Amino acid sequence: MSPSASQYLADLDARLASSGFEPFGDSPVLSLDRAYRRKKFELIQVGMVTTFCGVKCVDHLSDPRFVETYNKSLFDHALRNKGFFARNAFQSLLVYEVIVAGSTAPEIQRFLNSYWPKHWMAFEFSVVVDLSSNRMLSYSGTPLWGLAYHMSFSKEAASLFSPR
C-alpha cells in the first residue's frame, strides 16, 4: 500500500469514527482494507438505517468490471450481515462501496455514471477515490426514482470520502 493510501485510510478512520461508524469484521473473500458499520435513525428515510462501508485499495483502476464485481460482492456481504430487522418497512440498508486508487482510467467515471442499481429498501453508493488527481468519483446524475435519497447519500459521501 502506498504512503498516500495509508494516510488517506488514517484520515478516513477518523472521519468515519466521528460520524458514528464502527469497525466491522472483514470478509476474507473480499480482502477489504477497511470495513465499517453504523446504525442510525434517519428522518428522511423514516426509520433506522444500517450503513455499511467497505474500502479496498488498489494501485491503478482501469477495469469497470472490477468495480462492478467488487460492488456486487460487497453489497451481498452487507445483506448477509445487515442484522435481523434491516430492509423492512422502517429499516433500510445503505452500502458505500469505496475503492481507493493510486490512479484511475477515464472509463471508470463513465461506468460510475451508468451504475445505479435498484433494490428494495436498500441502496448502493459506489465511490472511487483517485489519489493521483485528489478527487472523489461517483454517480454524477440524479436518479428520479431516488431523488431525495440520492442527494443525501451524495452529500454524505462527499464529506466522508473526498480526499483532503
Side-chain angles (χ1 to χ4, degrees):
M1 183 179 318
S2 73
S4 58
S6 295
Q7 182 60 50
Y8 176 83
L9 290 177
D11 293 343
L12 184 63
D13 288 338
R15 276 188 259 168
L16 290 176
S18 70
S19 294
F21 285 86
E22 297 178 349
F24 187 76
D26 183 15
S27 161
V29 174
L30 294 172
S31 62
L32 299 171
D33 290 286
R34 296 287 194 279
Y36 309 91
R37 184 173 70 178
R38 173 184 70 191
K39 292 187 178 198
K40 172 178 157 182
F41 182 81
E42 294 282 346
L43 188 57
I44 193 167
Q45 294 185 33
V46 192
M48 190 64 72
V49 177
T50 300
T51 305
F52 278 87
C53 174
V55 182
K56 178 93 172 152
C57 295
V58 298
D59 291 328
H60 178 71
L61 186 57
S62 61
D63 186 357
R65 291 173 300 181
F66 175 84
V67 179
E68 184 174 23
T69 300
Y70 170 73
N71 289 353
K72 287 180 179 182
S73 297
L74 183 59
F75 185 79
D76 290 345
H77 175 68
L79 277 177
R80 285 190 305 275
N81 292 281
K82 67 188 177 314
F84 182 72
F85 290 112
R87 284 184 84 186
N88 67 30
F90 299 103
Q91 299 267 335
S92 60
L93 176 68
L94 168 61
V95 182
Y96 286 117
E97 302 146 341
V98 181
I99 299 174
V100 178
S103 61
T104 61
E107 53 268 18
I108 298 302
Q109 182 63 64
R110 285 192 293 275
F111 169 76
L112 292 173
N113 286 339
S114 70
Y115 188 79
W116 190 258
K118 296 177 185 177
H119 304 284
W120 179 72
M121 296 300 294
F123 308 91
E124 293 182 56
F125 198 93
S126 185
V127 172
V128 173
V129 176
D130 185 330
L131 297 174
S132 68
S133 65
N134 207 33
R135 62 190 176 120
M136 183 188 95
L137 309 173
S138 64
Y139 184 84
S140 62
T142 304
L144 293 177
W145 63 269
L147 181 64
Y149 300 131
H150 179 266
M151 290 170 54
S152 66
F153 300 156
S154 183
K155 183 178 177 181
E156 181 176 59
S159 73
L160 293 175
F161 307 116
S162 290
R164 298 190 177 150

